[in-house]
Every structure is written in C-alpha cells, then in structure tokens.
C-alpha cells in the first residue's frame, strides 16, 4: 500500500513569564493518507477499458468515481473487481465464478454497464471523457461516507 | 434505455443560499429535505403500514453504487413534487440484508412501489432512471401528481 504522510506542526508561542511556569506546547499532527494501490489500478483499468471498448464515462464524474472506488474495495477484500452495483448471496463465490467481475459479461458481450461506468456514445448520460484523474476520483468520492 | 435527456443533479454538492431578496425565493434542490432512510426495524411502520394510506416508493441503494448516487437527488425531489400523494424512502443494502433477501433485490438501485401494505406486483425496477421515466413508471402503477 502506498502511504503518503504529511506532517503538520504547530507551536504555540510561550506566554509571558508569570509567577507560574509555562511550557511551550508543540503539537504535531501526523495525517496519514493511505491510498489503496487498487484504487490507482482500477482508475487506470477504467481509462484503458473505456478507450478499448469505445465507451465514455458519465457526464457526472462523481458516478464514475464512486464505481471505481467500489471496484477497488472489492479488489481489496475479495481479490477481484466484483461489480459494486449488485447484491450477491455469496460474494466470494461470485468473485471466483467471474460473471460479475469487471468488465462483466454483459459489458463484454453487449456493452451493457448498469453501473454507468462505461457508457456507449448514444447513452443520454455519456460524457466525452475517457479519462479520470486521481484528483477527480477523490473529489467524486468525498462526502460519500 | 433512457429516452429523454436527463436533468443531472448537482454532484452531491449543495448550492449556496442566494442573497436576501424581497420576492419569494425559488426553492432549489438543496433546500429539499432528503427522503428518510428506513431499516429493518422501521420498515413495517414506515413502508408497509404507511402504504395503507398512501403509496410508498422504496429506493434500494448501496454505498459504492454510482447510479444510486445519481438518482438520490431525484428521489429527494420526487417526494416533494408529488405533494403528499407519494412517500419515498431509501433502504441501504449493507445494513438491511433481510429486506434485500425478502424482496429479492439484486441490481442496484432497485425501485419498488408499495400499496395497501404490500409490494405492487411487477413494480420492481432495476437501474438508474430519469425524471420523465420515473413519472411514467409511477403513472403505470397508478401514482400521478
């Protein structure tokens, strides 16, 4: 896992000396940003597959972002990019079986992606982009949970 | 699949309040109250019992489902648009496995209409939906503005 750490330190200036002794407080906060490598993998996969299949991302890219995050989560937990827009009676079995692993069979056979990740040009929700940056991804995911 | 050009919701971001004006404010989508999330504990009262006095539209959704995010503002707006003739509630997938199993929900989002204490047969609908198609779908099940 890629780990990006940023450190922020703030120091409060010492108060004027009074009869009580004062300490200088230096508060250092470490914010660890952990970005799943699978998120980057699924972002790149989505771009490549959109180009290869001649499909486009949703005009509202937060939809794209949310689905890519869902795929990455499944890849983290199940080892496969199981479609995040479905209920499964047994997720592990479905991931092993593969029908709903992205790109799922309906997508591969008929360019049907009910997640709205890969949209054909004639779809009312299709935008013109086949790329999504990590910044756009994070922005789209932010506020979901 | 989607017959009309969709009106896209703002991507999860609420718009700023406008300046104070003397004429009545136009209600914007950000001012519309969000529909309630219902769970297994409250389903009977909030959906089944409630549907005996007015129809209830249930939106089954999941956290990393992009189309679910896309239709969420439409669900919020619909309850308001129907002015008391329709109640709309949402049921989150992960937290409510018994409801998911009871109503055999697989694709997400899934819409189901409830009337007179029960699911309206044939009302289960999977996938994202535009405002126009939603009104058609509701009309088909006897619900108009």
């Amino acid at each position: 896992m890629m780990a990006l750490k940023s450190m922020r330190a703030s120091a409060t200036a010492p108060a004027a000396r009074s009869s009580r002794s004062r300490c200088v407080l230096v508060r250092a906060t470490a914010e660890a940003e952990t970005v799943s490598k699978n998120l980057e993998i699924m972002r790149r996969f989505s771009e490549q597959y959109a180009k290869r299949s001649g499909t486009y991302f949703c005009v509202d890219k937060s939809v794209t972002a949310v689905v890519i995050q869902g795929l990455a989560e499944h890849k983290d937990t199940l080892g496969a990019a199981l479609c995040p827009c479905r209920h499964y009676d047994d997720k592990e079995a479905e991931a092993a079986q593969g029908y709903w692993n992205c790109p799922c069979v309906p997508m591969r056979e008929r360019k049907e992606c009910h997640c709205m990740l890969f949209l054909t040009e004639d779809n009312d929700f299709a935008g013109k982009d086949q790329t999504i940056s990590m910044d756009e991804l994070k922005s789209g995911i932010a506020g979901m949970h | 699949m989607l017959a009309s050009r969709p009106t896209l919701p703002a991507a999860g971001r609420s718009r700023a309040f406008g300046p104070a004006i003397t004429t009545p404010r136009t209600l914007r989508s950000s001012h519309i109250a969000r529909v309630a999330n219902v769970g297994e504990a409250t389903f009977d009262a909030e959906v089944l019992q409630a549907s005996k006095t007015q129809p209830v539209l249930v939106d089954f959704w999941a956290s990393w489902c992009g189309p679910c995010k896309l239709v969420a503002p439409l669900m919020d707006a619909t309850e308001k648009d129907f002015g008391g003739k329709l109640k709309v509630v949402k049921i989150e997938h992960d937290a409510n496995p018994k409801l998911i199993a009871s109503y055999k929900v697989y694709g997400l989002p899934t819409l189901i209409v409830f009337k007179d204490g029960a699911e309206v047969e044939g009302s289960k609908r999977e996938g994202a939906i535009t405002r126009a198609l939603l009104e058609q779908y509701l009309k088909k099940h006897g619900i108009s503005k």
Side-chain angles (χ1 to χ4, degrees):
Chain A
M1 289 259 206
M2 270 198 313
L4 301 171
K5 290 186 183 177
S6 63
M7 301 281 292
R8 248 192 279 146
S10 62
T12 55
R17 279 193 186 271
S18 66
S19 55
R20 287 182 291 167
S21 60
R22 296 250 178 169
C23 299
V24 173
L25 295 174
V26 177
R27 229 178 255 121
T29 56
E31 285 180 9
E33 279 183 29
T34 305
V35 177
S36 161
K37 75 174 179 190
N38 283 325
L39 187 63
E40 175 60 15
I41 288 171
M42 294 318 302
R43 185 192 69 79
R44 277 195 216 153
F45 154 76
S46 299
E47 288 186 336
Q48 286 163 3
Y49 194 79
K51 287 167 189 160
R52 192 172 2 135
S53 62
T55 54
Y56 297 85
F57 293 148
C58 184
V59 61
D60 179 348
K61 278 211 186 151
S62 67
V63 171
T64 313
V66 161
V67 175
I68 291 175
Q69 169 70 11
L71 290 167
E73 284 216 346
H74 277 159
K75 200 152 164 65
D76 279 342
T77 55
L78 302 167
L82 194 64
C83 173
C85 307
R86 288 195 68 79
H87 164 72
Y88 305 97
D89 292 329
D90 184 335
K91 272 191 178 179
E92 284 77 12
E94 291 279 0
Q97 198 268 343
Y99 186 95
W100 288 112
N101 289 347
C102 188
C104 63
V105 169
M107 178 62 203
R108 281 183 263 151
E109 290 185 351
R110 299 182 299 281
K111 293 193 181 177
E112 285 176 9
C113 174
H114 71 270
C115 274
M116 302 180 71
L117 176 57
F118 304 114
L119 298 169
T120 51
E121 213 168 359
D122 60 340
N123 189 298
D124 285 336
F125 286 112
K128 295 189 187 318
D129 287 347
Q130 293 173 319
T131 57
I132 181 167
S133 66
M134 187 50 84
D135 281 346
E136 285 177 299
L137 238 183
K138 287 182 188 174
S139 175
I141 293 164
M144 276 302 293
H145 273 262
Chain B
M1 132 170 116
L2 298 165
S4 59
R5 187 88 195 158
T7 304
L8 281 178
R13 299 183 203 97
S14 59
R15 297 177 192 155
F17 282 78
I21 48 176
T22 53
T23 53
R25 266 185 206 165
T26 303
L27 196 65
R28 295 183 182 180
S29 61
S30 61
H31 298 198
I32 294 170
R34 291 189 177 177
V35 296
N37 266 296
V38 162
E40 284 163 1
T42 52
F43 181 79
D44 185 71
E46 297 293 336
V47 177
L48 299 180
Q49 298 308 315
S51 71
K52 291 176 181 174
T53 52
Q54 67 178 151
V56 179
L57 175 66
V58 177
D59 167 20
F60 290 89
W61 65 284
S63 46
W64 298 120
C65 160
C68 299
K69 182 183 195 293
L70 192 69
V71 305
L74 176 59
M75 295 298 123
D76 296 338
T78 296
E79 185 172 65
K80 179 193 169 291
D81 287 350
F82 276 70
K85 293 183 182 177
L86 174 70
K87 178 178 178 178
V88 182
V89 300
K90 291 164 64 167
I91 296 179
E92 200 275 325
H93 168 275
D94 289 355
N96 300 285
K98 290 180 186 169
L99 289 174
I100 294 293
S102 291
Y103 293 100
K104 296 183 175 46
V105 173
Y106 284 98
L108 294 162
T110 283
L111 299 178
I112 300 179
V113 174
F114 286 78
K115 279 184 178 180
D116 302 320
E119 174 183 358
V120 171
E121 200 175 316
S123 71
K124 190 188 296 180
R125 189 195 187 282
E126 289 184 3
I129 193 168
T130 62
R131 184 184 292 265
L133 285 176
L134 179 62
E135 289 181 8
Q136 268 180 40
Y137 160 81
L138 290 169
K139 196 172 178 182
K140 182 181 162 187
H141 298 294
I143 305 164
S144 299
K145 287 187 191 176

